Amino acid sequence: MANLQDLTEAVIKGDEDKIKLTILELLNAGTPAKEIMDDGLIAGMNIVGGKMETEEMFIPEVLMSAKAMSAGVEILKPQLTDEENAASGTMILGTVQGDLHDIGKNLVKMLMEGAGFSVIDLGTDVPPAAFVDAIKEHNADIVAMSALLTTTMPKMKETMEAMENAGIRDQVKVLVGGAPVTENYADEIGADGYGYDAGSAVRIAKEYMTN
Amino acid sequence: MTTICSNQQALNSPLAKKLSEDQCRKLYWACLEILERTGVQLFEQEAVDLLKKAGAHISDGNRVRIPAGLVEKAFATAPKKITLCDRNGKRVIQAGGHQSYFGTGSDCLNILDHRTGERRQAVLKDIEEGMKLCDALEHIDFVMSMFLPSDVPQETLDRYEMEAMLNYTTKPIIYVTTEFSGCMDAVKMAEIVAGGPDALAQNPVAACYINVTTGLRHNKEALQKLLYLSEKGLPFTYIPSAQGGVTAPITIASTMAVNNAGVLAGLVISQLKREGAPFIMPGWGGNMLDMRTTIQPYADPEKRGQAIDFAHFLGIPTFGLAGCSESKLVDEQAAAEAALTLFTDAIFGGNFVHDVGYLESGLCGSLPQLAICNEILSWLDAFMKGIEISDETLCLDLIDEIGPEGQYLDCRHTLDHFRERWYPNLFDRSSYDGWQAKGGKSLGERAVEDVDRILQEHKPEPLPKDIAKAVHKVTEDAESKI
Ligand code: B1M
């Protein structure tokens, strides 16, 4: 008989087939979908996150786990209530205007998806107005901006102002990151959070969703 | 000036190779295959038009597939040797083949302040001091800005960098600009210093460092810079940044194939714009993302050597990368990584070798670390020389004359030749007691003192007042436009 522990281990191993099978078995046995999600999949991803921070797991392994977990989430989704589904959160992500660096942003995207977020990726060189439009269109919970250049960091501030002007600043949490960005800068422009790497960004985003 | 050159005398000076000629050929064919089959995306219409006219296949507006023949043709006109001059027009760098020159990197956001030991954001003054130091260090052959000034308007920071480089050293410059307008302004400044556009093209004091998004995706600014500089006949690097495991497959061969397909696309466009345009290609191959820390490592051993072999095979001068470290401090790791990377680039024969003095994977710089690198380069300069085996150096008559029981300390021959041998400056060779008598200091401490002494004593030749003023006007004009 499958148990939640098996599921957690399958997430850590990134074993998509095992995850799908185990979820079906657990559902058949009457385990609530919410419990499978929280105590199986998310519990597994939390361990993966920890192993990434202690550098025991390498990024491709983490991404494999994240991908496998997403496949599991797809099976669970129809079984969850709307309220439970919304709890995972929608995120708008992009590299700010004038900036073409996207490697860090793409890492953030993949890890966020692995953590269960539905991520709308606007790509690179994203103007403030495009962030605003996307927030409205997708009714987003979190806006995540990446900048790798000191010359483009001010665009983060401009994007914040554009959200303010559109009257939607209070609807979302704003998360920023990228090599030249600091905790201080995030405070200075009034962002809600700063992630020094992709893993810490995920940790903060998850906190927003539980609070 | 460094005289490092591997392969100077056949079988008589150090030389290293990783790739055989057939391996280079296979890699080259892979690049050609990628260009013909997969093609590149070019975000600048003029580049697309030039290629279309030359016979390339265009689809989806900007996806360009380039036939092999166009690449072959480009090699016929691309220069195999590139000259850079000092600020006074002296042709001090002749880069190509196995001849190596060394210089700093650009745009470190932070500095490890040698006066306080603190890591802080860099300011314009740091660039000025860095350039002064470079001006004095014998084995630094060209300069890049080292730091990114946080205390100037960020839209025009590249103008401040160029101005500081021109003002505080006479050595040749490799400049970086965020956007195309900054590149035109840097050229404007260089033209003022050289005495006009023709004088600059004949005796270029500066080359531009161009970065390209990836091997197969060429951003607008990169292509604008390439076209502009090609037309003017001014030298530039064209460096796509394919990253193994992220924007290219993880294997070294494949990352190199994707990246160099992009290099060759750039080469073709440059030669179509103007035959003879001085083009410099990357001297490292197989960049990776560290999959544990998500850092792009600079001192990675596996990306070294093979790209220089490949460039020698193609006959295009390289932009090497060495003297850099992942370390956060001027410590044992920093010294080891700097020494190993400088050693490999010297022995393989990279040409414009930059990033000397980089710490923290390109995010921090340190003046004492640069002074230590200068010492390593001095060591390498001595190591890389061939050995003369001649009657004078063998001196068999003298050996016979002195015989088994004599000594050589007071011989004329010793006096004539002992200064030819290498002596360290920063590295310590004292006895234990002698070292203690001098304060018992570590290499790092001695480097800090050396930097302080140079900054106090060295006076770089200033730019003539009117020239400096005209150069500054370019910065002012740029500023008034924001
Ligand atoms: C929303 O929440 C979050 C939370 C966390 C977030 C986040 C968002 N975003 C990132 N994070 C965080 O999590 C990630 C993973 O843990 C981390 O992301 P990172 O992106 O930091 O890390 C990546 C995983 C790996 N790191 C990287 O990908 C960046 C590495 C370095 C070497 C770098 C690269 C690779 C590139 N570059 Co550029 N580049 C440099 C970089 C130096 C460095 N050491 O950082 C830097 C940033 N570049 C610089 C420069 C000068 C430039 N670059 C340019 C171009 C490029 C390439 C295209 C060649 C390439 C980018 C390729 C690509 N597709 O992204 C040019 C600008 C182009 C433009 N308009 O954007 C150009 C101007 C050079 C030129 N003249 O062409 C320097 C900064 C200058 C400045 N003003 O600040 C620079 C520090 C290098 C240097 N020392 O000179 C964290 O920061």
Side-chain angles (χ1 to χ4, degrees), chain A residues 64-81:
Chain A
M64 192 62 84
S65 291
K67 240 176 159 173
M69 157 149 175
S70 301
V73 173
E74 283 311 305
I75 301 180
L76 281 181
K77 256 190 186 160
Q79 315 287 330
L80 294 168
T81 63

Side-chain angles (χ1 to χ4, degrees), chain B residues 11-71:
Chain B
L11 305 179
N12 188 19
S13 69
L15 168 69
K17 253 179 183 298
K18 261 192 195 175
L19 297 183
S20 73
E21 195 169 317
D22 274 3
Q23 283 183 302
C24 287
R25 190 167 299 112
K26 187 160 178 151
L27 183 56
Y28 172 52
W29 285 4
C31 296
L32 295 180
E33 177 66 7
I34 291 171
L35 287 178
E36 282 190 350
R37 180 176 164 191
T38 310
V40 290
Q41 244 180 343
L42 305 178
F43 291 89
E44 165 60 41
Q45 194 55 41
E46 188 189 348
V48 177
D49 293 343
L50 276 172
L51 281 161
K52 185 174 181 189
K53 202 167 145 229
H57 179 78
I58 317 289
S59 60
D60 304 319
N62 71 347
R63 179 86 169 262
V64 184
R65 291 180 173 82
I66 303 174
L70 282 182
V71 180

Side-chain angles (χ1 to χ4, degrees), chain B residues 19 23-24 26-35 40 66 71 75 212 214-216 218 238-243 247-248 252-268 279-287 303 305-314 316-319:
Chain B
L19 297 183
Q23 283 183 302
C24 287
K26 187 160 178 151
L27 183 56
Y28 172 52
W29 285 4
C31 296
L32 295 180
E33 177 66 7
I34 291 171
L35 287 178
V40 290
I66 303 174
V71 180
F75 285 121
V212 187
T214 68
L216 305 187
H218 296 231
Y238 200 67
I239 315 287
S241 162
Q243 216 172 23
T247 53
I252 290 170
S254 192
T255 306
M256 279 188 76
V258 169
N259 211 47
N260 283 297
V263 171
L264 295 179
L267 180 78
V268 171
F279 184 98
I280 305 164
M281 69 182 280
W284 63 95
N287 254 351
K303 72 178 183 193
Q306 60 270 18
I308 299 175
D309 287 343
F310 187 54
H312 286 154
F313 170 83
L314 298 177
I316 302 290
T318 54
F319 193 51

Side-chain angles (χ1 to χ4, degrees), chain A residues 52 59 91-109 111-112 124-125 142-153 156 174-181 193-202 204, chain B residues 105-110 144-149 154 157-158 161 175-179 208-214 217 219 221-222 225 239-243 246-247 287-290 292-298 326 354-355 358-364:
Chain A
M52 184 177 79
I59 297 295
M91 171 179 291
I92 309 292
L93 172 70
T95 303
V96 297
Q97 192 168 33
D99 204 320
L100 301 173
H101 295 82
D102 65 357
I103 294 168
K105 180 212 61 149
N106 291 346
L107 271 175
V108 171
K109 175 184 179 186
L111 293 185
M112 289 290 180
T124 56
D125 194 7
I142 300 177
V143 178
M145 290 185 270
S146 180
L148 264 281
L149 300 170
T150 57
T151 48
T152 57
M153 277 162 62
M156 288 182 160
V174 177
L175 187 56
V176 294
V181 181
Y194 158 73
Y196 73 90
D197 67 6
S200 68
V202 170
I204 297 166
Chain B
S106 75
D107 296 294
C108 286
L109 299 172
N110 304 294
M144 294 182 74
S145 72
M146 296 185 74
F147 304 105
L148 184 140
Q154 293 299 292
L157 72 88
D158 39 20
E161 289 179 350
Y175 58 92
V176 179
T177 76
T178 322
E179 283 164 19
C208 180
Y209 170 62
I210 306 179
N211 253 170
V212 187
T213 315
T214 68
R217 201 145 44 97
N219 52 310
E221 294 84 29
K225 289 174 191 170
I239 315 287
S241 162
Q243 216 172 23
V246 186
T247 53
N287 254 351
M288 67 179 277
L289 184 73
D290 181 305
R292 268 194 312 208
T293 61
T294 71
I295 290 297
Q296 181 184 298
Y298 277 62
E326 262 63 74
H354 85 305
D355 283 353
Y358 258 18
L359 295 176
E360 210 189 296
S361 315
L363 293 178
C364 191

